[in-house]
Amino acid sequence: MRRCIRALRGTLLSRFALALLIASAIGTASANAQAPADDSYKVVVNAANPVSTLSRNELSRLFLKKVTSWKDSKPVALVDQRASSSVRESFTKDVHGRQVSSVTSYWQQMIFAGRAIPPVEKASDVDVATFVAANPSAIGYVSASAELPPGVKAIAVLK
């Protein structure tokens, strides 16, 4: 009986992993069909942060927690917009080349494997900017039209 349960569990896990890979591939293919440049968001860091530019690849690696510290070895504090926001959709397509659902699947895998947890989510541009202003190591993104409070600066995103 135990062997049957183990075999069933292995089969279910294999099918789950396959489904996540397929969803990721579909999301990536769809996103790659989109134009790569997007000006509907701006990336923001704390004003004390010396970073003024990041490449899309560096930004993606930060937000997927493949890189977890700044060049000065301070840990990065990430803040995402909520999954249903249009600014997150734009950011995700432009920076990760994926759909939000694909990145959500990535985080489910990371959580399941016990390797990482997703960035903190905030509900609005104001909440993201407030978080970034309060944390010298923070990075986030807001709508391109968002007003930035004192203590927050926008950085350039390079190809």
Side-chain angles (χ1 to χ4, degrees), residues 92-131:
T92 302
K93 283 180 184 176
D94 190 47
V95 172
H96 300 301
R98 300 179 181 187
Q99 300 291 326
V100 173
S101 61
S102 177
V103 174
T104 301
S105 294
Y106 166 83
W107 284 115
Q108 289 170 343
Q109 288 177 310
M110 296 300 281
I111 292 167
F112 183 74
R115 296 188 352 204
I117 58 171
V120 172
E121 278 187 19
K122 297 295 180 182
S124 68
D125 290 338
V126 171
D127 292 341
V128 169
T130 301
F131 179 90

Side-chain angles (χ1 to χ4, degrees), residues 1-15:
M1 180 69 163
R2 287 186 181 176
R3 256 190 282 168
C4 289
I5 291 172
R6 283 188 203 132
L8 180 60
R9 185 181 312 146
T11 301
L12 290 174
L13 287 175
S14 296
R15 288 184 180 174

